Each structure stands twice: as C-alpha cells, then as structure tokens.
Amino acid sequence: GSYIGSRHGQHALKGTIDEVRIYSRALSATEVRASYDRGSQTMSQQRDVTVEPEEVGEKPPVFRKPTREVAMVQDGFLWIDAEDFTDYGGWLLDTQFVHLMGSAYLIAAGIGKPVADATVTVSIPRAGTYRLWVRAKNWLKDYSPGQFTVAINDKASEQVFGAGDSEDWIWEPAGDFALDAGDTKISLRDLTGYYGRCDALILTTDQEYTPPRDMDAVRAERARLTGISLEPQLVGDFDVIVVGAGSAGSPAAIAAARMGAKTALIQNRPVLGGNASSELGVGVNGAASAHPNARESGIIEELGRIKARFGYVKMSEPFRVAAEQEPNLSVFVNQHVFAVQMADAAHIAAVRAVDTLTNTVSVYNGKMFIDCTGDGWVGYYAGAEYRIGREPEAEFNESLAPEERDTITMSGCLMGGRSVSYRAVDTGAPAPYTPPAWAPKFPPDEEFGRSPRGFSGGEWWLEHPGDIDDIWQAEKSRDELLRISFGYWDFIKNTWSKRDQAATYALSEVPIVEAKRESRRLIGDYILNQNDCQSGRVFPDAVAHGGWPLDVHHPEGIYSGKEGPFDCNAHVPIYTIPYRCVYSKNIENLLFAGRDMSVSHIALGSVRVQGTLAAVGQAAGTAAGFALRENITPRGIYQGRMSEFQQLLLKHDQYIPGLQNEDPADLARAATVTTSSTAEFEEFGRDHVARDIIHPLNMPRAVMFPRGERAHLGTVYLPLVSANDGPVKTTLHLREAAKSQDFSSKQDLLTVTATVAPGERWVPFPINRDIEAPFVWVWLPETENVSWPLMSRAPAGSCRAYGGGETGNWTVRQAEYYAFYTEPGIASRSRYSAESVINGVTRIIGDEPNMWASDQAETFPQWIELDFGKRVDVNAVYLLFDTDMNAKYHTAPMVPECVRDYEVSCFDGANWVTVAQVKGNFQRRRAHKFDTLSASKLRLTILATNGADSAHVFEIRAYNE
C-alpha cells in the first residue's frame, strides 16, 4: 500500500490522476493487482499488470532539468544549450567536464551504430535568414570518429561536425536557413555512433557574428544571450560544508550532521556515492577482503546493511536514504564547485558552485570545509599544499617507489553501473566484429600479459598510461579509455587464442564515465607511506584502519605487456590511519577524506578503496563537528584533545585497532553484568553456510578449518557445481596442520573419492576418524567443468588456499573460505561471557569473540542486565549487535545472528520501565534516547533474532547526556 500526497506528505493531491507509474522489481514474471483507494473509500477500478523480471537495483540516473524556455533575449540571437533539448534520443548528457570546457554537452555513445536524434522545438519570433553556429569537438583529429549533422525542420546542414582540424571545442558555422516565424524543430543527427559531441547552438540573423572561443568568454556570451545570471546566489550559511558525496564525503557529511553541525553536502553528479554509486558501481571493498573480522564499522556498516536489506545493488540509495534522515544535513546535487572565497590566507569563507544543468552559480558560506572531491579541488582553489605523482624511493625509504620523482598517476577505468569498460551480450549466433580504425591493436596472448575472465564485461585493468593528466586532460583521459575498450574487444574477438568462446558475443554498451583512482593528494601534518602500512603501525592519533593490499597499478596501463597490470600488490597487515592525514597542513579550517587525503603514491594503493575511505570520511566529519563544538581548529584536536576525540569515534562505532572504550561518561563500564543464559559451545553446521562467489576447479583448491572440541570427524560436505552432462568423480585429500594457514604438510591422512552429479549438489565425503591436530584441511584436484563456491564466514582459524596439489606450494588466502560443513558440526568452546558487553572491544579479534551469546539450547526471550550498584540518571543507551563483520561485503539481506526484536528497560527502584521497543532490526548499531530516568539497573531483553538460536551482543553503553 502506498499513499500519494504532497511533497511533504501534509496534504493529499487534488485533481485528476491519469496514470500512476511504480518502479518495482521481480526476479521472475509476477502478476500483481493494483486497486485505487481514495481515503477510506475503496474505488471499483482495478488493474492487473505483469511485472517483468529485471536485475535488482537502482535505475541509472537520468540527467534532466526544468526546461528553460529558449527565447530570443537579445534581438536576432537564439542560444540553445545541449541541456535544452527536450528529447535526448540516443544521446547522453555528459557533465564530467563542466569545469574544463564550460558546460555539459550531449554525446552520441552508439558503439559504432548511429543513435537516435536528439531534438528540441524552439519558437522563432520572426521570419528571416538565420545562420546556425554549432559548438562541437573532433575528439580524435586523425580519425574524426564522432561525426554528426544538425537538421532544422528535418533539413540537414551540409556541414558535418566532429571533423574539424582541432581537438579543442570550437564553433563552426552550419550554413544559413530561411525560417518562418513559429515552432522550429532542431535535431542532432548522429552519423557514426562513435561519441560525437555537441555543446550548444546559436541561431542568429547577424551575418557578421562569430561566437567567442575562450571558455570564460563562452560562459559570458551564454549569459548574455540566454539571460542567465552569472551573479552568485547565496544558498545559505553552514557550519560544515562537504564537497564531494562519494564513499568518503557522504559519511563525512552524515557524521558532521550527527554532531549537531548544520551541514551542506555538495555533489557534482545527480546521485550520491561517487565511484560506488549507481552510475559507476565500484564495490565497497576494504580491510575485510584480506583479513578476518575486519570490515569497517560505523556509518558505512549502517549504510551497507540498508543496501543488503532492501536489495540495492550499489550505494546511491543507501546514502540518499541516510542523508534524508538527518535534519541537520542539506544535499545539493549537480553542483560543481569551481572556486573558493578566502577569509584570509589560511581560512576558507565560502565555496562557489556552478549548476551542471543550468549554468547558474551559487555560493555556500561555511565555517569548516571537508574536501572529498577526489581531485582535491577545494584544497587546490584555497592554496592548500598538495602533490601529484610518485615520490622518490629516498623520501620515505619506500622500496616499492621509483628512484626519481615523477607525475605518474594510476589510471581510472570506464564504469557504467553494471559494467567495467564495456558490456556485451550473447546473441546466440555468430557475431563478427570489425574494430574502428582508431582502436589500438593489442598483441597475441603470450605478449599481451592479460587473460580475459569472461566476455559480458571488461576488466579493471583496461587502463591508459599514467602520464595522461587525469585533472587537466580529463576528457582526453576518458577518450583514451574509450579507445582501449574497443581495442580490447577487438583482441577478444579477433586476436585471442580462445576467441571461438566469444564468437556469439556482441558489444551492447561502452560507458562514458571515468572512475578515477588517483590525481591530487592534499598534504596534512603527516603523509602515510608504504612502511606504515607494511609494518602494521598503530599511530597514537589513529582514527581508522586499513588492510587492503598495496594495490598500485602499472604506470603503462594496459600496455605493460608481460609485466602485467600491477606495479605492486603487496599484502599488508591491519594498520591504522593517523588523524594528521585528514587535515590541511596550511589551511586552518580544511579537512579532507577520500583518495585526495595525505598519503604517498604507494600508500594510496591500500587506502583508496571505498570501505577504508568511508571510515576516514566519518573521522573527518566527526572532527569538523567536534572542532566547531569545542571552538578549536582541526589541528587543535591533535594537539590537545586527541584521546577524547578517539573515544568519541569509538562511541559512534568507528573501529580503531589498539583502542578500547575508556569513556568516563559511560555508566555501563562500572556495572555488574548478569544474563539469563550464556552459550557454552558454538557449533558451525550447514545452516551457517552463506554462499559467496564460485571458483572453477581449474587447479587444486583447499580449505582449512579447526578440529574443534570434538576429535571425531564424521563426514565433510562440499557444495560442488558440475557443468558436465553426466556424473564425474573427484577425490578429496585430508591432511592435518598444527596451526592456521599452515598448508606445508605433504602427507594425506586419507583420500575419499565421490561422484559429482550434474548441477549443484552437497557432495558427502565420509571420513569417520579422529583428528589429533588442532586444524584439518581438505583439498580437491583439478576437475574439469566442476566448480567450488566460497562462503562468507567460517569458524575462527579457517582459510583457503590454491595451486598446491600433491607436493606443490599452496597460495594461502586468509579471511576466505571454500564452502563446507561437517557432521557432526565443528564445536568450539564459548568465550561469550556476559562481561564482554562492557570490555570495550566490539568485534572478534583473533580467537576472542568479545561478545555475549545466549545459550542456543534455551528459547527466547533471553536477557542481559547491567546493575549500576546505585541509582544513576540515564537517558541514552547504545547497543552493538552481530552483523557478521567477517563477511567481505554486505550481501546477506538478514544476518541470522543479528538481534531482530528487543526491548530496553530501566529499573527505577520499584518497577521496570520500558524505554525502547524495536521490531525488525537488521542494524549493528542502535542508539536509543529517552527522558532521563533515575535507575539502578538496565536490561536488554532479546525476543528474537533474524534466524539464529543464540542472541549476540557486542556492547551496551549507558549515558546521561
């Protein structure tokens, strides 16, 4: 049921409704019935409709603006912007380069097939002869791939655009047209399907007129001929202004708003999320990709749970939902910040932004600024210290750095929400491919140094050389990636030794938006470097953690040949990120988070992933709010309030390795804890298996797990997937290990051969023997057309390995596991004591669970109680539940161990007073605030979980705030 009301839900709509459109999704064709209800009176109209299956997730963003009335503001001149076209046809509106070429433009992304016309109808005030000028670009001069004409009332211009002798944006005359007064249709007519681009058109009766070429002059001329004012309009005064709403900026703005600061979040795209948005689609990777129980907590955990619970594929919607719930936060999209106003040499007073759709200019006044633009634009405009490129080895003694300093940066790649670099479909019939002449040619397999993993989408390593300037040559950077995508598809279809496998595949999309990896890095009081990461350094001013490898891409991009796509990809332990990396060295009220933070080129390889940046963003936003509240500078936090600030971050569920809750205001820390029951054992069985990605048995693969409390191992079950037409056999090898990750044993305890039927089956391998060692591992040999899925969690000490075989060396991947379960299940003795909820540590660390778990043999409700030992005033309770921080990604809609239904109550000396009741919880952190009570005890009563037999609680805090 859905209520259709006004924007603010206060008044119902009045009038006639001709049609209602509902965006829904189905995994299979589904019949639904819609009925119409007016208030309490059900109407007779009903409609049966079919919801067709489609991919779950957000619809891609559509650029639109309120249509400007194209009018003759200056006598004899009519200016038509690309944005003014009322029907884009097959053209796309590209706003990525507004700051470099002056405005948005239309681009014909047709992958070699001309796209449908973009059209607009304008009113000609009086008849006459009009000369047409078109601002266009030949994006690759030697080939002129993107050509188009302009048609007026379906009469095409003789002039072909996109074929000029310059790669700059230029005005070209299209000829003279005799036009009658009244409505006139103008069409952009694509001729090639290869990214022709048009910015604006001018119709004029002045035969002597020539439009200006300089970008600033073009902007002024647009204003003169359209009546658009370039005078900045004040939007408002804010405490904190966050520029850039990616995985760092969105959490930064939410954190600042939650600190009570009036916050503006300014984004130059139509959606939130940056590289993790529905536009681009980068996954939220982080430390959990390489380490157990290391997923980032705090705001990104909250948003990740929203993503999983409601089936969003990318992060745009979770960011939007969370932002709209913050009363102190205002979000401004399609606003590109292009300048700052300085109060003095060290303080920013305001930022100026141009609307990427209307070209109007706005000004935002602020007290504290956070640069999350990725390119470091706010810092650059303010005069903040920054650097670009690679540091020399000697500067930080980084063994992975080059000998000499240079300006090489990591290339980005094309992203399109559902695809990297391109998307292809299986046509079911031979689909030959002839590449455009301008697509680069790649060598055969043995020289190329790349191996395609599939055909439906591209690879992250489709990158240009790092000497292309991603800041000032951003359009060229994107265009080079277009060329590479077509060249790579040519390689797959015509050069690759296994090209027959792709014979029926055809290109369906090559996206136009570049997901950047590196450009400017703003300088703070400290620059994180390779040695900090590889040593697992714990800084005294740590505010976040990292653990992704030192993943630095090759400076030659896809042209690196046999050297492969990496410059380095070194594993690192969990390390911390110091607060000194998130505020400016020389601009007193500037912080930053994201890939423009204060790190070296090598260290950026680890911190640049979305989960890590989100944690840094939360730290920056919290710091901005804290500094304003305490009337100090961001540097002042480091100089005198660091411990207090770190405790504040912990309170908001930021994970900082090496720190624990020592908040003197937390009443729970001194309480005595009792419970209704406590688990004695934890058992891992089939119900705990959550399937993840799948790996083919194209090499030996292994999984290790602890023996547990039971010495006897009965049967090992593996969920094998066979694409064979009939049954095949595979042999399981079982070996022991003295410690986790030790795959050195060359001796099988036994082998078991089983039959794998077609499809996916849980295949039993009977073992029936006692295990003496604390760990056991099983491996399967290479088996044709059989695959072995991974799972997202496993008992502590589990891991996977690959490539070893009978006597070879295994490559170990900790925090990853091939799926399995055993009968009887793996039983581990519980350390889930009641006191864990106040021990100050809020996640599993090694073998220590740091949480309370109720006895799984007992029925719900279960409770845990804090006795303060005296009457205290309390008005806030903070809870942390178990949402499986071991899983790499937020994929499970409901985590079984997470508490679903619960009550919080306080004992006032005579009665238990319920202060919070929750049903349907799926979040890790819940904050409950209520009227102050004088209470001697606090009780959390768990009524149900999301499926598990045991209730898990990491932390309970209590405050009088």
Side-chain angles (χ1 to χ4, degrees):
S2 180
Y3 170 73
I4 301 175
S6 72
R7 178 182 178 189
H8 301 290
Q10 296 171 343
H11 304 286
L13 292 174
K14 296 181 180 180
T16 301
I17 297 177
D18 297 314
E19 180 182 63
V20 175
R21 295 188 181 187
I22 301 172
Y23 171 51
S24 58
R25 61 175 183 264
L27 301 182
S28 60
T30 305
E31 294 289 335
V32 299
R33 169 164 291 180
S35 61
Y36 304 86
D37 176 82
R38 185 168 56 197
S40 61
Q41 177 184 359
T42 302
M43 302 175 69
S44 59
Q45 294 97 326
Q46 292 186 341
R47 298 288 186 272
D48 291 326
V49 296
T50 299
V51 180
E52 295 295 340
E54 66 175 355
E55 185 173 359
V56 174
E58 304 96 332
K59 289 289 189 181
V62 177
F63 289 97
R64 281 294 185 267
K65 71 167 186 176
T67 303
R68 176 181 69 87
E69 182 182 354
V70 180
M72 189 172 285
V73 175
Q74 294 291 330
D75 187 46
F77 289 90
L78 201 64
W79 179 294
I80 304 106
D81 267 320
E83 304 94 302
D84 293 324
F85 278 70
T86 51
D87 184 351
Y88 293 166
W91 297 64
L92 303 175
L93 189 68
D94 194 345
T95 66
Q96 295 175 88
F97 314 112
V98 168
H99 58 300
L100 298 177
M101 52 78 62
S103 62
Y105 61 83
L106 286 172
I107 182 169
I111 58 172
K113 296 179 181 179
V115 303
D117 292 357
T119 60
V120 62
T121 298
V122 300
S123 179
I124 301 297
R126 65 175 183 272
T129 298
Y130 288 80
R131 178 162 295 174
L132 176 65
W133 288 89
V134 179
R135 190 174 189 232
K137 178 172 183 169
N138 181 353
W139 64 272
L140 195 60
K141 185 166 64 71
D142 291 341
Y143 297 94
S144 302
Q147 299 184 27
F148 66 98
T149 60
V150 178
I152 297 185
N153 290 330
D154 293 324
K155 178 185 176 182
S157 64
E158 293 182 3
Q159 176 71 26
V160 173
F161 301 98
D165 60 0
S166 169
E167 290 186 0
D168 295 332
W169 282 93
I170 59 174
W171 288 99
E172 298 179 77
D176 295 336
F177 295 81
L179 302 180
D180 295 329
D183 288 349
T184 297
K185 177 183 175 184
I186 301 178
S187 307
L188 301 183
R189 190 156 293 168
D190 180 26
L191 300 178
T192 62
Y194 281 130
Y195 306 93
R197 48 201 78 174
C198 176
D199 170 46
L201 304 92
I202 299 174
L203 282 169
T204 178
T205 57
D206 184 350
Q207 301 297 307
E208 303 300 321
Y209 174 78
T210 300
R213 186 164 178 169
D214 177 72
M215 183 183 74
D216 290 336
V218 169
R219 184 178 289 128
E221 186 72 345
R222 174 186 287 109
R224 184 179 77 88
L225 297 183
T226 62
I228 296 173
S229 173
L230 295 182
E231 187 66 27
Q233 300 299 308
L234 178 63
V235 175
D237 298 317
F238 298 91
D239 297 321
V240 176
I241 293 177
V242 181
V243 183
S247 292
S250 292
I254 292 169
R258 290 180 179 178
M259 288 294 295
K262 182 182 178 183
T263 304
L265 176 59
I266 304 174
Q267 168 74 330
N268 63 358
R269 305 300 298 171
V271 294
L272 308 185
N275 282 354
S277 71
S278 54
E279 282 192 291
L280 299 176
V282 177
V284 182
N285 291 310
S289 64
H291 301 278
N293 300 295
R295 197 171 71 224
E296 294 75 16
S297 51
I299 291 172
I300 194 60
E301 172 66 13
E302 175 186 336
L303 303 184
R305 292 304 313 138
I306 293 173
K307 170 183 174 290
R309 174 65 181 85
F310 297 106
Y312 299 124
V313 177
K314 304 302 176 186
M315 292 301 294
S316 292
E317 281 299 291
F319 283 139
R320 180 192 63 79
V321 169
E324 288 182 351
Q325 293 174 348
E326 297 301 326
N328 292 323
L329 177 58
S330 299
V331 178
F332 304 92
V333 297
N334 295 320
Q335 300 288 307
H336 185 90
V337 169
F338 69 93
V340 305
Q341 296 171 201
M342 302 297 291
D344 54 50
H347 294 86
I348 305 170
V351 295
R352 290 189 178 189
V354 60
D355 190 303
T356 60
L357 303 182
T358 67
N359 295 298
T360 55
V361 178
S362 299
V363 61
Y364 304 78
N365 293 333
K367 301 174 183 175
M368 200 72 65
F369 296 82
I370 308 178
D371 188 333
C372 297
T373 62
D375 287 337
W377 284 114
V378 178
Y380 172 77
Y381 294 133
E385 290 192 26
Y386 71 91
R387 59 177 56 183
I388 296 174
R390 304 188 295 180
E391 291 83 2
E393 178 183 1
E395 181 171 1
F396 300 115
N397 194 29
E398 293 179 308
S399 62
L400 300 174
E403 289 186 6
E404 302 293 332
R405 183 184 304 276
D406 59 38
T407 57
I408 295 290
T409 57
M410 281 185 281
S411 166
C413 62
L414 296 179
M415 299 288 291
R418 297 187 304 164
S419 61
V420 179
S421 301
Y422 71 85
R423 190 168 181 83
V425 295
D426 189 347
T427 65
Y433 179 68
T434 301
W438 42 266
K441 288 290 184 182
F442 295 116
D445 307 25
E446 61 273 12
E447 299 174 31
F448 188 31
R450 305 289 193 278
S451 179
R453 295 178 294 179
F455 319 122
S456 60
E459 305 281 357
W460 57 262
W461 36 256
L462 270 69
E463 302 170 313
H464 61 61
D467 57 0
I468 296 179
D469 187 341
D470 277 338
I471 298 177
W472 299 109
Q473 295 178 305
E475 193 173 6
K476 177 182 178 181
S477 170
R478 189 277 308 276
D479 292 345
E480 185 62 21
L481 294 174
L482 290 175
R483 295 183 62 237
I484 287 169
S485 294
F486 285 100
Y488 178 68
W489 186 245
D490 175 41
F491 168 82
I492 287 179
K493 296 288 288 186
N494 300 316
T495 303
W496 188 33
S497 61
K498 299 179 182 179
R499 56 187 175 274
D500 289 348
Q501 297 179 17
T504 58
Y505 281 79
L507 276 181
S508 62
E509 175 193 9
V510 176
I512 64 168
V513 182
E514 180 180 1
K516 293 184 181 181
R517 290 188 174 94
E518 181 183 8
S519 52
R520 280 190 200 93
R521 302 188 304 281
L522 302 172
I523 302 304
D525 279 351
Y526 188 81
I527 300 175
L528 188 78
N529 62 66
Q530 171 193 336
N531 300 309
D532 299 326
C533 299
Q534 287 191 314
S535 67
R537 186 172 178 182
V538 177
F539 289 90
D541 60 328
V543 292
H545 75 288
W548 183 265
L550 289 169
D551 172 8
V552 181
H553 296 187
H554 200 287
E556 294 181 17
I558 198 170
Y559 301 103
S560 62
K562 293 180 180 180
E563 293 184 22
F566 290 107
D567 193 25
C568 61
N569 191 30
H571 176 78
V572 298
I574 294 293
Y575 62 88
T576 63
I577 298 170
Y579 173 62
R580 285 166 292 163
C581 291
V582 301
Y583 64 84
S584 173
K585 184 176 183 180
N586 65 308
I587 303 299
E588 292 294 324
N589 61 341
L590 175 65
L591 298 106
F592 28 75
R595 59 183 175 84
D596 60 4
M597 60 188 286
S598 184
V599 298
S600 72
H601 169 80
I602 297 297
L604 180 68
S606 178
V607 304
R608 64 183 173 81
V609 290
Q610 309 299 295
T612 305
L613 298 183
V616 177
Q618 179 170 345
T622 306
F626 182 75
L628 287 172
R629 189 182 74 185
E630 303 300 316
N631 195 27
I632 55 178
T633 64
R635 181 180 283 110
I637 295 176
Y638 170 72
Q639 292 173 332
R641 306 290 290 276
M642 198 63 222
S643 178
E644 183 182 353
F645 176 58
Q646 289 172 320
Q647 288 299 313
L648 179 62
L649 290 173
L650 293 179
K651 182 179 179 181
H652 289 89
D653 197 26
Q654 182 90 314
Y655 175 50
I656 306 176
L659 294 183
Q660 63 188 57
N661 176 20
E662 296 176 350
D663 187 351
D666 180 10
L667 302 169
R669 292 179 60 229
T672 301
V673 188
T674 56
T675 67
S676 55
S677 69
T678 300
E680 295 185 16
F681 290 92
E682 180 185 25
E683 187 159 313
F684 184 88
R686 179 171 177 173
D687 291 343
H688 298 90
V689 176
R691 253 198 59 169
D692 206 341
I693 60 176
I694 189 169
H695 285 177
L697 282 172
N698 56 356
M699 64 180 74
R701 299 188 184 276
V703 65
M704 176 179 289
F705 50 88
R707 182 198 71 176
E709 293 295 317
R710 301 186 182 100
H712 186 72
L713 181 59
T715 302
V716 174
Y717 290 83
L718 307 182
L720 301 182
V721 182
S722 174
N724 294 290
D725 294 333
V728 296
K729 293 185 180 297
T730 190
T731 299
L732 177 142
H733 300 250
L734 182 141
R735 298 177 181 179
E736 291 181 313
K739 60 182 180 179
S740 177
Q741 304 179 45
D742 180 7
F743 288 85
S744 61
S745 174
K746 303 295 190 290
Q747 181 67 43
D748 290 335
L749 287 183
L750 57 82
T751 60
V752 181
T753 299
T755 299
V756 184
E760 180 173 351
R761 302 283 191 279
W762 279 103
V763 180
F765 294 87
I767 305 299
N768 294 318
R769 67 171 295 162
D770 289 345
I771 303 297
E772 295 182 3
F775 289 91
V776 61
W777 54 287
V778 299
W779 66 273
L780 297 177
E782 179 180 350
T783 309
E784 188 174 3
N785 295 326
V786 175
S787 299
W788 189 359
L790 282 75
M791 59 184 180
S792 60
R793 65 184 311 181
S798 300
C799 58
R800 74 172 179 93
Y802 59 89
E806 293 284 355
T807 58
N809 294 323
W810 294 86
T811 299
V812 181
R813 294 301 298 265
Q814 60 175 322
E816 294 182 3
Y817 332 96
Y818 289 114
F820 74 92
Y821 76 91
T822 65
E823 286 186 353
I826 300 171
S828 303
R829 185 167 296 279
S830 170
R831 301 180 188 176
Y832 298 137
S833 66
E835 289 75 18
S836 294
V837 300
I838 59 170
N839 75 354
V841 184
T842 59
R843 64 175 61 207
I844 299 171
I845 306 292
D847 294 332
E848 291 297 330
N850 294 305
M851 74 167 113
W852 166 70
S854 66
D855 190 341
Q856 56 265 49
E858 299 291 332
T859 59
F860 292 109
Q862 294 291 309
W863 52 262
I864 183 166
E865 186 176 296
L866 277 62
D867 188 337
F868 300 123
K870 60 181 180 180
R871 296 280 289 273
V872 297
D873 290 339
V874 59
N875 57 20
V877 173
Y878 298 86
L879 307 171
L880 291 182
F881 299 123
D882 182 7
T883 51
D884 187 13
M885 303 302 286
N886 195 49
K888 292 181 183 179
Y889 308 108
H890 299 98
T891 54
M894 306 299 287
V895 178
E897 291 77 13
C898 181
V899 171
R900 187 190 74 195
D901 305 335
Y902 64 91
E903 295 180 352
V904 179
S905 51
C906 295
F907 188 66
D908 65 4
N911 301 294
W912 284 99
V913 179
T914 300
V915 296
Q917 291 180 305
V918 174
K919 290 186 176 181
N921 175 60
F922 57 92
Q923 289 285 8
R924 168 178 161 91
R925 182 177 186 266
R926 295 302 301 262
H928 298 288
K929 298 185 179 182
F930 44 89
D931 293 338
T932 302
L933 287 172
S934 178
S936 59
K937 297 179 182 179
L938 172 71
R939 176 179 288 183
L940 170 65
T941 302
I942 291 92
L943 306 174
T945 67
N946 282 292
D949 294 330
S950 175
H952 290 186
V953 181
F954 275 111
E955 184 175 68
I956 301 175
R957 292 182 180 227
Y959 290 89
N960 179 31
E961 297 181 331

